[in-house]
Amino acid sequence: MEQPNPISEPGADDSASSSTPSTPGQILDDEPDFALAHNNDSQSSFGASSSREQSVQPPPVRSRPKYPIERLPPELLIYIISKLSSPGDILRCLKVSKAWSDCCVELLWHRPLFTTWERLVNVVNSIQDTNAHWRYADLIKRLNLSNLSDQINDGTLQPFVNCRRIERLTLTSCSSLTDSGIIGLVRGNKQLLALDITGLHSITDLTVTALAHNCPRLQGLNITNCRKVTDASLVTLAENCKYLKRLKLNKCTMVTDESIEAFARRCPSMLEIDLQDCRFITDHSVTSLMLGGRQLRELRLASCSNITDDAFLQLPSHLRYDSLRILDLTACHQLTDSAVERIIEGAPRLRILVLAKCVEITDRSVMAISKLGKNLHDIHLGRCQQISDDALKELVKACNRIRYIDLAGCHRVTDAAVEKLAQLPKLRRIGLVKCQAITDDSINALAGIRRGERSRNNIATNLERGIKALLNHCPKLTHLSLTGIQAFFLRDDLIQFCREAPAEFNEEQRTVFCVFSGDGVSKLRKYLNEDHIDSEITMYEEGDLLGDDGDADGILGLMQSTGLDAEDGDGDDFDVDMQ
């Protein structure tokens, strides 16, 4: 008799398979073949067989040997199949056998993609189908509805309340959601590891409290711009979710030292915390975080204006924070050189240091920063007007792996410093917004042109020639900001390649906006190489169109900084801000 076929479709009812929806069942070859192939029909028709018949057993049918991949545990099979490049390939694997289908369906459903409303409807219908072969609600591990943020409301979330195995929930900018909708998803979900509800203005302490009581394994929370959340719920969260590693409280303006100190005490695994614009935060919070989180990797305190030198000077001198890689102190204007020196002493492996608008720091801070050596990748010194060429030259000597440096508004910086910076082998972006002391020589240095090689016509023509040389010398340049440079933003033939100004810009900012990105840089390079330089253009007098404060507050310099890249390889692009 022929052996039964071991391959079955995903929807087939197989008594040999496991009844657990998310655990792959065994293939039919796991059952003894003779038990399936030798049911004695004569026994049921003519009564019991004789003792002689019972004593003589037919020889068992030899079962087919298993291939090595059939003996793999489900975990390894899932790992192997996950390396396939497309869902279509995984779908084909799903049709191989029952065991393969159970593994593949988990891969296809663990993170459903919602790019259209129709896809969302299809997923909801599958979840609600009581006759489905798999319980799809249990297969979803990551739920991200941010692509349809304008259409999502509390009713949209209702079908997902039975998805109790969600580990990552992303509802960014779904501004119509309220506490009621999110609490329904969170309640009873003990598997949740990360929640992102950035920009949900109506969310209150009720959601955070529900999170604290239902999700003890929570590791990441982003409630950026949830301005109604207070210390009351955050303290409860700290007490119940001791495994928190990443916390973003940007613009949660009601947060104070009480909740931050609770996180410092109760969450010893904290790796990243962002407190931008939490204006009630003081030195006590910073000191507590540093003392309680020796493994802290990222600390962002931008616009926490109450922070002073004491936040860092109060730390024991013997403590080191070798894990700290990113420190953002933007607009902490009370900080001085003493704090910077203590920071560098305690965190010698910093890669990204942001000191923009820390107006009290001087060359002494830059000299201290130079001790970071090859560890330093990005340094932001915008509006630090006391910094001079001498300190920057020392920085270049010591830190030759700098990829991005922002010197916006540093009026004492001259061509001599820029020429040194141009020698950095890994430099990808430099911000020179409102560096009024630099000339065309800086552009030529960045473009690799020696002094005296440029023409001596008028200022505007030379600037355009310098930009042309820069574009040709840097073929991987992807971002060029010339905002406020009248030789460019007044040229209709050039601004046609600019990107649109941000929606939040006012009319004055839009007038002077001149930023080339991506394909716009390539088009500008091609256009200038066609010799469209107008030798009759002259620069307007300083202030004809811009007042002394007529800039975009350095937005295009510091605020477009790149994130941390753990690799030391060469960059793919090069950006220049010359506003």
Side-chain angles (χ1 to χ4, degrees), residues 6-209:
I7 299 177
S8 59
E9 295 297 326
D13 184 12
D14 191 341
S15 60
S17 64
S18 171
S19 60
T20 304
S22 60
T23 303
Q26 296 182 351
I27 60 175
L28 293 180
D29 281 341
D30 288 344
E31 299 294 337
D33 286 351
F34 67 86
L36 298 176
H38 290 276
N39 287 328
N40 192 341
D41 292 337
S42 63
Q43 292 182 15
S44 60
S45 301
F46 300 103
S49 61
S50 67
S51 60
R52 183 173 181 274
E53 289 176 331
Q54 292 178 351
S55 63
V56 178
Q57 296 293 333
V61 178
R62 175 181 290 182
S63 62
R64 176 179 62 82
K66 289 184 178 181
Y67 295 109
I69 197 169
E70 294 177 302
R71 295 195 293 266
L72 287 177
E75 294 81 3
L76 286 180
L77 186 58
I78 289 175
Y79 178 78
I80 293 171
I81 297 175
S82 70
K83 298 301 181 181
L84 295 175
S85 58
S86 71
D89 291 336
I90 298 177
L91 189 60
R92 294 183 187 94
C93 291
L94 183 143
K95 300 177 182 179
V96 170
S97 70
K98 180 65 172 65
W100 281 46
S101 65
D102 285 332
C103 294
C104 291
V105 76
E106 288 200 29
L107 291 172
L108 291 171
W109 272 83
H110 88 285
R111 183 173 57 186
L113 182 63
F114 301 107
T115 55
T116 64
W117 184 258
E118 289 71 22
R119 286 198 177 193
L120 177 61
V121 172
N122 290 338
V123 170
V124 168
N125 289 338
S126 298
I127 291 174
Q128 296 178 331
D129 185 0
T130 56
N131 296 319
H133 184 74
W134 288 280
R135 181 175 166 80
Y136 294 107
D138 289 339
L139 299 178
I140 298 178
K141 302 290 185 64
R142 298 185 181 185
L143 183 60
N144 186 342
L145 300 177
S146 57
N147 287 333
L148 303 173
S149 57
D150 294 339
Q151 305 173 64
I152 303 299
N153 54 39
D154 290 345
T156 312
L157 298 185
Q158 186 59 36
F160 295 99
V161 296
N162 293 322
C163 300
R164 297 302 185 192
R165 298 180 64 191
I166 295 177
E167 296 177 355
R168 300 180 185 275
L169 178 58
T170 304
L171 302 171
T172 304
S173 301
C174 299
S175 54
S176 297
L177 290 176
T178 66
D179 288 326
S180 175
I182 298 179
I183 290 174
L185 274 181
V186 167
R187 184 180 292 120
N189 189 349
K190 297 185 181 301
Q191 305 299 318
L192 191 65
L193 298 178
L195 174 65
D196 187 346
I197 50 175
T198 299
L200 274 62
H201 306 291
S202 61
I203 296 303
T204 69
D205 286 335
L206 293 176
T207 292
V208 179
T209 301

Side-chain angles (χ1 to χ4, degrees), residues 386-405:
Q386 300 186 57
I387 293 174
S388 70
D389 290 351
D390 293 337
L392 292 175
K393 291 176 182 178
E394 290 300 319
L395 184 69
V396 170
K397 290 180 182 179
C399 306
N400 61 359
R401 292 192 178 184
I402 292 177
R403 300 175 307 178
Y404 173 57
I405 182 168

